[in-house]
Amino acid sequence: MTALISKPDFPKNFTWGVATSAFQIEGASNTDGKGPSIWDDFCRVPGTIADASDGVVACDHYHLWESDLDLITDLGVDAYRFSISWPRVQPLGSGAFNEAGFAFYERLVDGMIARGLKPYLTLNHWDLPSALQAQGGWANRDTVQHFVTYAGEVARRLGDRVTSICTHNEPWVVAVLGHEVGNFAPGIKSRAVMLQVAHHLLLSHGMALTALRAQGCKASLGIVLNMSHTQAATESEADKEQARLDDGKGLRWYVDPLLKGEYPADVLEHFGTDAPRVLPGDMELIAAPLDFLGVNYYFRCMASAGAPWDINASGHDITDMGWEVYPPGLTALLVRLHRDYSLPPILITENGAAFQDEMVDAQVHDVRRQSYIASHIAAVREAMQQGVVVDGYFVWSLLDNFEWASGYEKRFGIVRVDYDTQQRTLKDSALWYRGFLEARP
Ligand code: IFM
């Protein structure tokens, strides 16, 4: 597959990058005035994290940021997608800002610019300040206004230097895994709460965009959604209906409000009395124009009304997360979005795979990860050939890191991290990506 694509197949101004998030790599969870986040708290609850780990040290990026930026530069990418830890810059999520926290991100952003890297900033990659959770977190409408204030302060300090600002990373995950399934922070299990949380996340996104534009922020503004290509497992009417509902709950519930200003009627009916409380004007605020829509794609979903679909019978490779490797799903997803919506430019803000790696003679021959990335880049190109406007692609992830409830057991990095020594080693996938990016037109 690697031979089939080359960088010249993409437009000259296409942005190539790598991505991380604050809680997953920074560590320094209690340093220089940082406040606690819901993930700091969640990690302390016995049984929540597979290897009983936490984000206290992680990849120690808070201290190793300079050499990590050198590493990114060495890969030859154009851009680095990172997130701000809200409690690092505003320990209680409201009130006073933490100068030392902001100083870290100022150094980081300036360090990117000095190296010719474009900063792609995310405001919320899940680490809500604990003090806000104590007041109900995202289920409390007051959090919306706190987020808008936080976003405004970040944009005031960094907005002139960053290329892009994303409000939320994967609101579905925060809502569903955090508040319905409960296997992610803050560990709540209620469908009604989940729906109110999702609404407040979308509302805070739209209000933040409007506020940032009003204060003259020039960065490209948008949101990042996790999306799948959902297919019926069989041709049966029941499976087709299940696919429509699954797609409605996972994709349309987020994309419709953002791009059409309404919740999908069929899904609203399905949720019944659990539907969120929506105040007059909310939907217009949510539908604030997007400069970009970020797509995080990892796998296809097969919907079945009966027995669960047998992934092992698919014949496709399966990652360490138990996710099917299915690049045509990315093409199908993008083409479908293009067909069903009036889209802003798309960014593939995350794409990558967890596999168990072996270090042999200081090398990691991660053939499956390399093939995953190459085949998905080819799938993006295929969608572009079919008319979809895609402006960039970011590998998830730069580094092996804290994979949430899976702890450090799952490795997504194209760079291996030895957690005992913090040594970084470029895996073959990183070397391949670098070689791919070197092929200038
Ligand atoms: O590690 C996560 C990331 O934080 C959000 N998107 C999915 C990745 C892999 O699970």
Side-chain angles (χ1 to χ4, degrees), residues 24 125-126 169-170 296 298 323 350 396 403-404 412:
Q24 292 178 273
H125 201 122
W126 311 349
N169 184 73
E170 303 182 350
N296 292 354
Y298 288 93
W323 298 345
E350 286 182 26
W396 184 272
E403 178 53 27
W404 309 109
F412 273 92

Side-chain angles (χ1 to χ4, degrees), residues 51 88 201 268 385:
D51 56 3
R88 193 179 293 291
L201 286 164
L268 204 51
Q385 282 170 345

Side-chain angles (χ1 to χ4, degrees), residues 19-21 24-25 59 396-404 407-413 417 419:
T20 65
S21 87
Q24 292 178 273
I25 66 164
C59 305
W396 184 272
S397 181
L398 169 70
L399 303 172
D400 290 335
N401 60 46
F402 177 78
E403 178 53 27
W404 309 109
Y408 296 97
E409 286 177 355
K410 309 292 182 202
R411 291 178 178 267
F412 273 92
V417 175
Y419 294 112

Side-chain angles (χ1 to χ4, degrees), residues 274-290:
D274 284 338
R277 189 169 136 79
V278 177
L279 299 190
D282 282 4
M283 301 314 291
E284 290 75 16
L285 287 165
I286 291 172
L290 293 172

Side-chain angles (χ1 to χ4, degrees), residues 160-434:
D160 60 337
R161 278 171 276 171
V162 299
T163 302
S164 155
I165 297 181
C166 153
T167 51
H168 300 295
N169 184 73
E170 303 182 350
W172 178 91
V173 171
V174 177
V176 175
L177 301 189
H179 298 83
E180 185 181 29
V181 180
N183 62 333
F184 274 28
I188 290 166
K189 295 182 182 165
S190 156
R191 191 171 79 164
V193 174
M194 174 275 279
L195 288 167
Q196 198 60 55
V197 163
H199 182 68
H200 288 159
L201 286 164
L202 291 172
L203 181 62
S204 65
H205 151 81
M207 287 176 64
L209 250 55
T210 303
L212 264 47
R213 287 194 176 114
Q215 71 184 55
C217 180
K218 295 284 181 291
S220 173
L221 305 177
I223 187 167
V224 167
L225 304 179
N226 54 305
M227 295 195 218
S228 189
H229 170 58
T230 302
Q231 268 176 258
T234 71
E235 284 301 302
S236 78
E237 282 311 313
D239 283 357
K240 284 190 202 160
E241 176 57 20
Q242 189 65 46
R244 189 189 56 75
L245 182 60
D246 290 355
D247 176 73
K249 293 199 290 186
L251 188 148
R252 288 185 287 123
W253 191 256
Y254 297 86
V255 186
D256 281 20
L258 290 164
L259 296 180
K260 296 183 174 172
E262 61 192 20
Y263 285 115
D266 58 325
V267 190
L268 204 51
E269 189 185 333
H270 167 81
F271 284 139
T273 54
D274 284 338
R277 189 169 136 79
V278 177
L279 299 190
D282 282 4
M283 301 314 291
E284 290 75 16
L285 287 165
I286 291 172
L290 293 172
D291 296 328
F292 71 89
L293 176 63
V295 172
N296 292 354
Y297 175 86
Y298 288 93
F299 52 84
R300 154 177 82 161
C301 285
M302 293 297 260
S304 165
W309 177 68
D310 179 11
I311 190 174
N312 295 306
S314 74
H316 299 133
D317 197 6
I318 298 171
T319 75
D320 208 25
M321 299 295 282
W323 298 345
E324 182 197 20
V325 177
Y326 192 70
L330 177 53
T331 308
L333 167 68
L334 295 173
V335 170
R336 174 271 176 111
L337 288 171
H338 179 58
R339 183 195 65 210
D340 291 355
Y341 298 95
S342 175
L343 290 178
I346 297 283
L347 287 175
I348 307 302
T349 32
E350 286 182 26
N351 178 242
F355 290 111
Q356 286 303 320
D357 299 312
E358 230 191 308
M359 180 90 151
V360 181
D361 296 334
Q363 295 181 331
V364 182
H365 302 305
D366 59 337
V367 185
R368 292 161 80 197
R369 183 178 293 101
Q370 177 181 324
S371 155
Y372 182 100
I373 294 169
S375 57
H376 284 79
I377 290 176
V380 173
R381 187 193 56 170
E382 174 62 34
M384 292 168 74
Q385 282 170 345
Q386 293 187 41
V388 188
V389 177
V390 184
D391 280 357
Y393 173 92
F394 292 74
V395 171
W396 184 272
S397 181
L398 169 70
L399 303 172
D400 290 335
N401 60 46
F402 177 78
E403 178 53 27
W404 309 109
S406 305
Y408 296 97
E409 286 177 355
K410 309 292 182 202
R411 291 178 178 267
F412 273 92
I414 56 173
V415 175
R416 182 178 176 85
V417 175
D418 178 325
Y419 294 112
D420 294 327
T421 62
Q422 290 299 344
Q423 189 176 347
R424 277 73 162 137
T425 305
L426 268 61
K427 303 179 190 177
D428 283 0
S429 54
L431 300 173
W432 174 82
Y433 196 41
R434 182 167 69 186

